Amino acid sequence: MTSAQVTEPHHPALVVHQLAKRYGQTPVFQGVNLEVAAGEFVAIVGESGVGKSSLLNCLAGLDSWSEGRIEHQGTDLSRLNEAQLAFWRRAHLGFVFQAFHVLPHLDVAQNVGLPLLLLNRPDPQRVQDMLTAVGLHGLGQRLPAELSGGQLQRVAIARALVHRPGLLLADEPTGNLDPSTAGQVMDLLQSQARQTGAAVVLVTHSQAAATRADRVLQLTASGCQ
């Protein structure tokens, strides 16, 4: 059983109220209340198995929840059907996956530009600007198999930010990286997200990564600390 509460910032972009998820009678998390302002960086920390990734998937509208409410910029996600949720994600969400999830048959520039293509807003210059911003200038024509793990995570970050989403979610983005590269990735997340004014939610078990956040919410089996 997991519960959580945080102090509410002013003018929230993301509102989570009394959110709970269960599998049958087994709770994954419950009583989650969270507000994140535009440009604010919030970290959710906790041991493995307390529901951090499940919570993030709910915030992304990728998974269902048992009770409670999620609103992004006044849109109640529970009122959207699957097609509407898919469009909302395309237009408003950036998601950085721990496992990168880049498409191996597309080159770096095509992977980064995919969100713009899905929105019918192709912008090669914007893609090149994002590659430069994340330190991948000149690597746009390379395939993912030619990149290191740190470079692949930078591709994932550039892809998540290229369409200037209002909400950026990151699931253990430094979990597979060495400390030096992890620090660089957190620098990129912090600086690029704030430049776009996105509300940022990071889930991690890394206290070092969490120290970059404006606020930290801890999920534990015994409650909130």
Short mmCIF file of all heavy atoms in Angstrom, two decimals, residues 85-122:
data_model
loop_
_atom_site.label_atom_id
_atom_site.label_comp_id
_atom_site.label_asym_id
_atom_site.label_seq_id
_atom_site.Cartn_x
_atom_site.Cartn_y
_atom_site.Cartn_z
N LEU A 85 -6.91 10.41 -26.03
CA LEU A 85 -5.69 10.30 -25.23
C LEU A 85 -4.45 10.25 -26.12
O LEU A 85 -3.43 10.87 -25.82
CB LEU A 85 -5.74 9.05 -24.35
CG LEU A 85 -6.50 9.15 -23.04
CD1 LEU A 85 -6.63 7.77 -22.40
CD2 LEU A 85 -5.81 10.12 -22.08
N ALA A 86 -4.54 9.52 -27.22
CA ALA A 86 -3.41 9.43 -28.14
C ALA A 86 -3.09 10.80 -28.72
O ALA A 86 -1.91 11.17 -28.82
CB ALA A 86 -3.72 8.44 -29.26
N PHE A 87 -4.11 11.57 -29.08
CA PHE A 87 -3.87 12.91 -29.62
C PHE A 87 -3.30 13.82 -28.54
O PHE A 87 -2.39 14.62 -28.80
CB PHE A 87 -5.15 13.51 -30.19
CG PHE A 87 -4.95 14.86 -30.78
CD1 PHE A 87 -4.42 15.01 -32.06
CD2 PHE A 87 -5.27 16.01 -30.07
CE1 PHE A 87 -4.20 16.27 -32.59
CE2 PHE A 87 -5.06 17.27 -30.60
CZ PHE A 87 -4.52 17.40 -31.87
N TRP A 88 -3.82 13.72 -27.30
CA TRP A 88 -3.30 14.52 -26.19
C TRP A 88 -1.81 14.23 -25.98
O TRP A 88 -1.01 15.15 -25.81
CB TRP A 88 -4.10 14.22 -24.92
CG TRP A 88 -3.49 14.86 -23.71
CD1 TRP A 88 -3.61 16.16 -23.31
CD2 TRP A 88 -2.62 14.23 -22.76
NE1 TRP A 88 -2.87 16.38 -22.17
CE2 TRP A 88 -2.26 15.21 -21.80
CE3 TRP A 88 -2.12 12.93 -22.61
CZ2 TRP A 88 -1.42 14.93 -20.73
CZ3 TRP A 88 -1.29 12.64 -21.54
CH2 TRP A 88 -0.94 13.64 -20.62
N ARG A 89 -1.44 12.95 -26.01
CA ARG A 89 -0.03 12.60 -25.83
C ARG A 89 0.83 13.20 -26.94
O ARG A 89 1.92 13.72 -26.68
CB ARG A 89 0.14 11.08 -25.77
CG ARG A 89 -0.27 10.46 -24.44
CD ARG A 89 0.18 9.01 -24.34
NE ARG A 89 -0.55 8.16 -25.26
CZ ARG A 89 -1.66 7.49 -24.96
NH1 ARG A 89 -2.17 7.58 -23.73
NH2 ARG A 89 -2.26 6.73 -25.85
N ARG A 90 0.36 13.11 -28.17
CA ARG A 90 1.13 13.67 -29.29
C ARG A 90 1.36 15.16 -29.12
O ARG A 90 2.45 15.67 -29.40
CB ARG A 90 0.40 13.42 -30.61
CG ARG A 90 0.37 11.98 -31.07
CD ARG A 90 -0.40 11.87 -32.37
NE ARG A 90 -0.60 10.48 -32.77
CZ ARG A 90 -1.27 10.10 -33.84
NH1 ARG A 90 -1.81 11.03 -34.64
NH2 ARG A 90 -1.42 8.83 -34.13
N ALA A 91 0.32 15.86 -28.69
CA ALA A 91 0.38 17.32 -28.65
C ALA A 91 1.03 17.87 -27.40
O ALA A 91 1.69 18.92 -27.44
CB ALA A 91 -1.04 17.88 -28.77
N HIS A 92 0.89 17.17 -26.26
CA HIS A 92 1.25 17.78 -24.98
C HIS A 92 2.27 17.03 -24.15
O HIS A 92 2.77 17.58 -23.17
CB HIS A 92 -0.02 17.95 -24.13
CG HIS A 92 -1.07 18.80 -24.76
ND1 HIS A 92 -0.94 20.16 -24.93
CD2 HIS A 92 -2.28 18.47 -25.29
CE1 HIS A 92 -2.03 20.64 -25.53
NE2 HIS A 92 -2.85 19.64 -25.75
N LEU A 93 2.59 15.80 -24.51
CA LEU A 93 3.42 14.96 -23.64
C LEU A 93 4.77 14.63 -24.27
O LEU A 93 4.86 14.31 -25.45
CB LEU A 93 2.68 13.64 -23.34
CG LEU A 93 3.43 12.62 -22.48
CD1 LEU A 93 3.60 13.14 -21.06
CD2 LEU A 93 2.70 11.28 -22.48
N GLY A 94 5.81 14.73 -23.46
CA GLY A 94 7.11 14.18 -23.80
C GLY A 94 7.44 13.11 -22.78
O GLY A 94 7.27 13.32 -21.58
N PHE A 95 7.89 11.94 -23.23
CA PHE A 95 8.17 10.81 -22.32
C PHE A 95 9.58 10.31 -22.60
O PHE A 95 9.89 9.92 -23.72
CB PHE A 95 7.14 9.70 -22.55
CG PHE A 95 6.95 8.78 -21.36
CD1 PHE A 95 5.71 8.59 -20.80
CD2 PHE A 95 8.02 8.10 -20.81
CE1 PHE A 95 5.52 7.75 -19.71
CE2 PHE A 95 7.86 7.26 -19.72
CZ PHE A 95 6.60 7.09 -19.16
N VAL A 96 10.42 10.30 -21.56
CA VAL A 96 11.77 9.77 -21.67
C VAL A 96 11.78 8.40 -20.99
O VAL A 96 11.61 8.31 -19.78
CB VAL A 96 12.80 10.70 -21.00
CG1 VAL A 96 14.21 10.12 -21.17
CG2 VAL A 96 12.73 12.10 -21.59
N PHE A 97 11.98 7.36 -21.78
CA PHE A 97 11.96 6.00 -21.27
C PHE A 97 13.34 5.56 -20.82
O PHE A 97 14.36 5.93 -21.42
CB PHE A 97 11.46 5.03 -22.34
CG PHE A 97 10.06 5.28 -22.81
CD1 PHE A 97 9.83 6.10 -23.91
CD2 PHE A 97 8.97 4.70 -22.17
CE1 PHE A 97 8.54 6.33 -24.36
CE2 PHE A 97 7.68 4.93 -22.61
CZ PHE A 97 7.46 5.75 -23.70
N GLN A 98 13.41 4.74 -19.77
CA GLN A 98 14.68 4.21 -19.30
C GLN A 98 15.34 3.38 -20.39
O GLN A 98 16.56 3.41 -20.55
CB GLN A 98 14.46 3.34 -18.06
CG GLN A 98 15.74 2.74 -17.50
CD GLN A 98 15.50 1.92 -16.25
OE1 GLN A 98 14.36 1.75 -15.83
NE2 GLN A 98 16.56 1.40 -15.67
N ALA A 99 14.55 2.64 -21.16
CA ALA A 99 15.09 1.75 -22.20
C ALA A 99 15.20 2.45 -23.56
O ALA A 99 15.35 1.79 -24.58
CB ALA A 99 14.22 0.51 -22.32
N PHE A 100 15.11 3.79 -23.56
CA PHE A 100 15.30 4.64 -24.74
C PHE A 100 14.13 4.53 -25.73
O PHE A 100 13.56 5.53 -26.14
CB PHE A 100 16.60 4.32 -25.48
CG PHE A 100 17.80 4.17 -24.61
CD1 PHE A 100 18.74 3.19 -24.85
CD2 PHE A 100 18.01 5.03 -23.52
CE1 PHE A 100 19.86 3.05 -24.05
CE2 PHE A 100 19.12 4.90 -22.71
CZ PHE A 100 20.05 3.90 -22.98
N HIS A 101 13.81 3.29 -26.21
CA HIS A 101 12.72 3.08 -27.18
C HIS A 101 12.90 3.90 -28.44
O HIS A 101 11.93 4.45 -28.99
CB HIS A 101 11.36 3.36 -26.54
CG HIS A 101 10.95 2.33 -25.53
ND1 HIS A 101 10.98 0.98 -25.77
CD2 HIS A 101 10.50 2.48 -24.26
CE1 HIS A 101 10.57 0.33 -24.70
NE2 HIS A 101 10.28 1.21 -23.77
N VAL A 102 14.14 4.02 -28.92
CA VAL A 102 14.34 4.61 -30.24
C VAL A 102 14.07 3.53 -31.29
O VAL A 102 14.18 2.34 -31.02
CB VAL A 102 15.77 5.16 -30.39
CG1 VAL A 102 16.01 6.28 -29.38
CG2 VAL A 102 16.81 4.06 -30.22
N LEU A 103 13.70 3.97 -32.48
CA LEU A 103 13.38 3.03 -33.56
C LEU A 103 14.66 2.69 -34.32
O LEU A 103 15.29 3.59 -34.90
CB LEU A 103 12.34 3.63 -34.49
CG LEU A 103 11.00 3.97 -33.82
CD1 LEU A 103 10.05 4.59 -34.83
CD2 LEU A 103 10.37 2.73 -33.20
N PRO A 104 15.08 1.43 -34.34
CA PRO A 104 16.40 1.08 -34.87
C PRO A 104 16.55 1.31 -36.36
O PRO A 104 17.68 1.50 -36.85
CB PRO A 104 16.54 -0.41 -34.52
CG PRO A 104 15.13 -0.90 -34.36
CD PRO A 104 14.37 0.26 -33.79
N HIS A 105 15.44 1.29 -37.11
CA HIS A 105 15.53 1.44 -38.56
C HIS A 105 15.51 2.91 -38.99
O HIS A 105 15.66 3.20 -40.19
CB HIS A 105 14.39 0.69 -39.24
CG HIS A 105 13.03 1.16 -38.81
ND1 HIS A 105 12.50 0.84 -37.58
CD2 HIS A 105 12.10 1.91 -39.44
CE1 HIS A 105 11.29 1.38 -37.47
NE2 HIS A 105 11.04 2.05 -38.58
N LEU A 106 15.31 3.83 -38.06
CA LEU A 106 15.35 5.26 -38.36
C LEU A 106 16.67 5.85 -37.87
O LEU A 106 17.20 5.43 -36.84
CB LEU A 106 14.19 6.00 -37.68
CG LEU A 106 12.77 5.58 -38.07
CD1 LEU A 106 11.76 6.45 -37.34
CD2 LEU A 106 12.56 5.67 -39.58
N ASP A 107 17.20 6.83 -38.60
CA ASP A 107 18.42 7.47 -38.12
C ASP A 107 18.08 8.42 -36.96
O ASP A 107 16.92 8.60 -36.59
CB ASP A 107 19.17 8.16 -39.25
CG ASP A 107 18.44 9.34 -39.87
OD1 ASP A 107 17.63 9.99 -39.20
OD2 ASP A 107 18.70 9.63 -41.06
N VAL A 108 19.10 9.02 -36.39
CA VAL A 108 18.93 9.85 -35.20
C VAL A 108 17.97 11.02 -35.48
O VAL A 108 17.05 11.29 -34.69
CB VAL A 108 20.29 10.36 -34.72
CG1 VAL A 108 20.14 11.47 -33.69
CG2 VAL A 108 21.10 9.21 -34.13
N ALA A 109 18.18 11.72 -36.58
CA ALA A 109 17.33 12.87 -36.89
C ALA A 109 15.88 12.44 -37.10
O ALA A 109 14.95 13.14 -36.68
CB ALA A 109 17.85 13.59 -38.13
N GLN A 110 15.67 11.30 -37.74
CA GLN A 110 14.29 10.82 -37.96
C GLN A 110 13.64 10.43 -36.65
O GLN A 110 12.45 10.69 -36.45
CB GLN A 110 14.33 9.64 -38.92
CG GLN A 110 14.68 10.01 -40.35
CD GLN A 110 14.95 8.80 -41.22
OE1 GLN A 110 15.42 7.76 -40.76
NE2 GLN A 110 14.68 8.93 -42.52
N ASN A 111 14.38 9.81 -35.73
CA ASN A 111 13.84 9.49 -34.42
C ASN A 111 13.43 10.74 -33.66
O ASN A 111 12.33 10.81 -33.09
CB ASN A 111 14.87 8.70 -33.59
CG ASN A 111 14.73 7.20 -33.74
OD1 ASN A 111 13.83 6.58 -33.18
ND2 ASN A 111 15.63 6.60 -34.52
N VAL A 112 14.31 11.75 -33.68
CA VAL A 112 14.01 12.98 -32.95
C VAL A 112 12.84 13.72 -33.57
O VAL A 112 11.98 14.27 -32.87
CB VAL A 112 15.26 13.88 -32.90
CG1 VAL A 112 14.92 15.27 -32.33
CG2 VAL A 112 16.34 13.22 -32.06
N GLY A 113 12.74 13.70 -34.88
CA GLY A 113 11.68 14.43 -35.57
C GLY A 113 10.34 13.75 -35.59
O GLY A 113 9.35 14.33 -36.05
N LEU A 114 10.26 12.51 -35.09
CA LEU A 114 9.01 11.75 -35.18
C LEU A 114 7.82 12.45 -34.52
O LEU A 114 6.72 12.47 -35.11
CB LEU A 114 9.22 10.36 -34.58
CG LEU A 114 8.10 9.35 -34.78
CD1 LEU A 114 7.81 9.15 -36.27
CD2 LEU A 114 8.46 8.01 -34.14
N PRO A 115 7.94 13.04 -33.32
CA PRO A 115 6.78 13.73 -32.74
C PRO A 115 6.25 14.85 -33.62
O PRO A 115 5.04 15.05 -33.73
CB PRO A 115 7.32 14.27 -31.41
CG PRO A 115 8.43 13.34 -31.05
CD PRO A 115 9.08 13.02 -32.38
N LEU A 116 7.15 15.60 -34.26
CA LEU A 116 6.71 16.67 -35.17
C LEU A 116 6.01 16.10 -36.39
O LEU A 116 5.01 16.65 -36.87
CB LEU A 116 7.91 17.51 -35.60
CG LEU A 116 8.60 18.32 -34.49
CD1 LEU A 116 9.89 18.92 -35.02
CD2 LEU A 116 7.67 19.40 -33.96
N LEU A 117 6.52 14.97 -36.89
CA LEU A 117 5.90 14.33 -38.06
C LEU A 117 4.49 13.86 -37.73
O LEU A 117 3.56 14.03 -38.53
CB LEU A 117 6.77 13.16 -38.52
CG LEU A 117 6.40 12.51 -39.86
CD1 LEU A 117 6.56 13.51 -40.99
CD2 LEU A 117 7.27 11.28 -40.09
N LEU A 118 4.32 13.29 -36.53
CA LEU A 118 3.00 12.81 -36.12
C LEU A 118 2.00 13.95 -35.95
O LEU A 118 0.79 13.74 -36.07
CB LEU A 118 3.11 12.02 -34.81
CG LEU A 118 3.85 10.68 -34.91
CD1 LEU A 118 4.03 10.07 -33.52
CD2 LEU A 118 3.09 9.70 -35.81
N LEU A 119 2.50 15.14 -35.68
CA LEU A 119 1.64 16.32 -35.56
C LEU A 119 1.50 17.07 -36.88
O LEU A 119 0.91 18.15 -36.91
CB LEU A 119 2.22 17.27 -34.50
CG LEU A 119 2.11 16.80 -33.04
CD1 LEU A 119 2.96 17.69 -32.14
CD2 LEU A 119 0.66 16.79 -32.58
N ASN A 120 2.04 16.48 -37.96
CA ASN A 120 2.02 17.14 -39.28
C ASN A 120 2.71 18.50 -39.24
O ASN A 120 2.30 19.44 -39.92
CB ASN A 120 0.58 17.28 -39.79
CG ASN A 120 -0.07 15.95 -40.07
OD1 ASN A 120 0.55 15.07 -40.66
ND2 ASN A 120 -1.31 15.78 -39.62
N ARG A 121 3.80 18.57 -38.43
CA ARG A 121 4.58 19.80 -38.33
C ARG A 121 6.06 19.50 -38.52
O ARG A 121 6.88 19.83 -37.66
CB ARG A 121 4.36 20.46 -36.96
CG ARG A 121 2.93 20.88 -36.67
CD ARG A 121 2.84 21.89 -35.52
NE ARG A 121 3.84 21.73 -34.49
CZ ARG A 121 3.56 21.37 -33.22
NH1 ARG A 121 2.31 21.09 -32.88
NH2 ARG A 121 4.53 21.30 -32.33
N PRO A 122 6.45 18.85 -39.62
CA PRO A 122 7.88 18.55 -39.81
C PRO A 122 8.70 19.83 -39.80
O PRO A 122 8.31 20.83 -40.39
CB PRO A 122 7.92 17.85 -41.18
CG PRO A 122 6.65 18.27 -41.86
CD PRO A 122 5.63 18.46 -40.79
#
